[in-house]
Amino acid sequence: MVSNSYLFTSESVSEGHPDKVSDRISDCVVDAFLSADPYSRVACETLCTTNKVVVAGEVRGPGSVNAVMLDGLVRKAIKDIGYGQVGFNWKTVDIDFLLHQQSVDIAQGVDASGNKDEGAGDQGLMFGYACAETEALMPAPIYFAHEILRSLAAARHSGEAQGIEPDSKSQVTLRYENQKPVGASSVVVSTQHSEELSQSDIRELVRPHVESVLPEGWMCPEEEFYVNPTGRFVVGGPDGDCGLTGRKIIVDTYGGAAPHGGGAFSGKDPTKVDRSAAYAARFLAKNVVAAGLAESCLIQLSYAIGISKPLSVYVNTQGAGLVDEHKLSNVLQEMVDLSPRGIRETLGLNKPIYERTSSYGHFGRAMEEDGGFSWEGTPLSEELKSAF
């Protein structure tokens, strides 16, 4: 039995967190290849530490995307984040590229040939989720955790938040009554800072970003508002901790409010279903909730390497739906081709739109004119209403 009253917590990390620096660099590589050839293949990982970046993986694309070109793009990404410190500096960081050609064994499973449609790039299961807790149809704890850091980052980039550095984390615990969020019981924000700022200085710099993001009356009690609880956070980013691509998969999705299939997103081109099918599952779930057919919707898709059709399509409206789930699953599959090719074409994924997804979550974002965050659109909602 689900309790009607409970606390639920989600965390976010900023673009300057070492794992997010790695995610951004990996997606920078993906965008470079897709800009040169929309059908390029990329599966790359990035490690970053004190003044060192290592990019490794498999690629298939034009020779114009080489180490010299990528070196400039990676340095630009690091500079844009804000890293010009001694321990991690966009000018002086040493960058190694260990990229090799995609395995022919993988390629033959994915490539279309003869009567064979394009297959999935790997086996796996992916989840999509949406709920009516926020206007973005995202779980409220992860949504507010992201927004606090986005607000703080905007103030840092504009120069408004002097002394705040790129690496930061947030954690929001919300109180639920009758399974709906009603307020924050605690908020944690840790942010890298200059030597000159005291803990009380940082607390007051951070406070307005929390208060402006949370709904009116939702601010936690003062004694449960934790800012830099260790007292000092001067050394941060890749100089303070090693970063790796794909270590923040819960931050990237639903903050633990819904299951995760396990596959990371960043560094992968859209033939990799652990990315594209997760986007498709979110797209379907969001349209179900936007159509008013359920208060929340969880969708699971599964695939086998080299096979184009999904092996399963599971729809669960978690006791908050108004329609038959089996029929809903069938209707959704009629509306959207869930093969890897069908997903890419429906959502327009063969574009350089991925570097921007690498921080503050892949979901709950606004659609962009060039096709970015296309999976956040709700064009099926009216058709779904008519179907039921």
Side-chain angles (χ1 to χ4, degrees):
M1 179 180 290
V2 178
S3 173
N4 285 328
S5 301
Y6 54 89
L7 302 179
F8 192 85
T9 304
S10 294
E11 72 155 349
S12 179
V13 299
S14 72
E15 65 203 62
H17 186 282
D19 293 333
K20 281 291 149 198
V21 174
S22 294
D23 283 345
R24 179 159 179 175
I25 291 171
S26 294
D27 274 338
C28 169
V29 174
V30 173
D31 281 358
F33 274 96
L34 293 179
S35 293
D37 177 357
Y39 297 99
S40 294
R41 301 283 171 77
V42 183
C44 74
E45 318 292 336
T46 300
L47 175 149
C48 59
T49 185
T50 303
N51 264 336
K52 183 72 176 182
V53 169
V54 179
V55 183
E58 58 169 28
V59 299
R60 190 175 82 189
S64 59
V65 186
N66 53 38
V68 174
M69 175 190 179
L70 291 174
D71 183 271
L73 292 173
V74 170
R75 290 183 192 279
K76 181 180 182 301
I78 295 170
K79 181 182 180 182
D80 288 347
I81 293 169
Y83 280 117
Q85 294 91 333
V86 173
F88 196 69
N89 188 300
W90 67 273
K91 292 181 181 178
T92 60
V93 64
D94 182 37
I95 306 174
D96 287 342
F97 293 97
L98 307 175
L99 299 170
H100 60 84
Q101 286 294 306
Q102 183 183 46
S103 160
V104 295
D105 293 342
I106 294 175
Q108 72 177 1
V110 177
D111 292 344
S113 61
N115 293 325
K116 176 186 174 297
D117 195 2
E118 179 183 301
D122 201 354
Q123 70 178 45
L125 52 120
M126 303 84 206
F127 287 96
Y129 182 70
C131 64
E133 291 182 10
T134 61
E135 288 185 5
L137 303 188
M138 286 288 288
I142 187 67
Y143 180 76
F144 294 132
H146 285 324
E147 290 302 302
I148 289 167
L149 295 187
R150 280 163 60 89
S151 178
L152 191 60
R156 175 174 62 84
H157 284 298
S158 71
E160 177 189 339
Q162 292 289 330
I164 297 296
E165 300 291 347
D167 191 0
S168 58
K169 304 176 77 171
S170 66
Q171 184 172 286
V172 174
T173 300
L174 295 186
R175 185 175 71 258
Y176 282 70
E177 299 289 347
N178 296 317
Q179 301 184 36
K180 295 186 182 299
V182 296
S185 66
S186 66
V187 175
V188 184
V189 180
S190 296
T191 182
Q192 186 185 9
H193 59 90
S194 64
E195 289 271 10
E196 293 75 28
L197 291 181
S198 68
Q199 188 178 23
S200 60
D201 291 335
I202 298 160
R203 185 182 185 88
E204 295 315 307
L205 274 171
V206 167
R207 184 188 301 277
H209 298 283
V210 177
E211 291 177 339
S212 65
V213 163
L214 292 175
E216 186 176 355
W218 279 37
M219 185 62 180
C220 64
E222 187 65 18
E223 64 272 18
E224 295 296 328
F225 179 41
Y226 303 96
V227 177
N228 282 15
T230 66
R232 175 184 166 90
F233 187 2
V234 173
V235 179
D239 188 31
D241 195 7
C242 181
L244 291 170
T245 298
R247 278 207 302 207
K248 289 294 177 284
I249 57 176
I250 301 303
V251 170
D252 284 345
T253 54
Y254 307 104
H260 195 293
F265 301 157
S266 291
K268 297 172 183 175
D269 74 78
T271 67
K272 279 66 172 177
V273 284
D274 36 8
R275 180 172 218 163
S276 57
Y279 290 172
R282 162 66 177 172
F283 177 68
L284 296 179
K286 187 173 183 181
N287 274 270
V288 169
V289 177
L293 302 184
E295 285 283 308
S296 65
C297 182
L298 175 69
I299 292 179
Q300 185 203 60
L301 307 176
S302 69
Y303 294 83
I305 188 168
I307 306 301
S308 62
K309 68 179 180 67
L311 305 186
S312 64
V313 179
Y314 167 75
V315 178
N316 183 353
T317 53
Q318 302 180 317
L322 304 178
V323 299
D324 179 76
E325 292 168 341
H326 179 71
K327 180 181 178 182
L328 180 56
S329 174
N330 290 335
V331 168
L332 291 172
Q333 291 177 74
E334 291 170 3
M335 289 182 174
V336 178
D337 178 356
L338 293 173
S339 69
R341 175 189 51 76
I343 292 171
R344 288 190 298 103
E345 292 177 354
T346 298
L347 297 179
L349 299 182
N350 286 103
K351 299 175 182 176
I353 54 174
Y354 297 104
E355 187 175 349
R356 70 195 74 168
T357 68
S358 62
S359 54
Y360 313 116
H362 292 245
F363 307 126
R365 308 284 289 273
M367 286 180 61
E368 298 178 351
E369 290 184 2
D370 65 352
F373 301 101
S374 59
W375 49 92
E376 290 298 308
T378 55
L380 306 180
S381 59
E382 291 303 318
E383 191 178 351
L384 279 167
K385 289 179 185 178
S386 299
F388 289 92

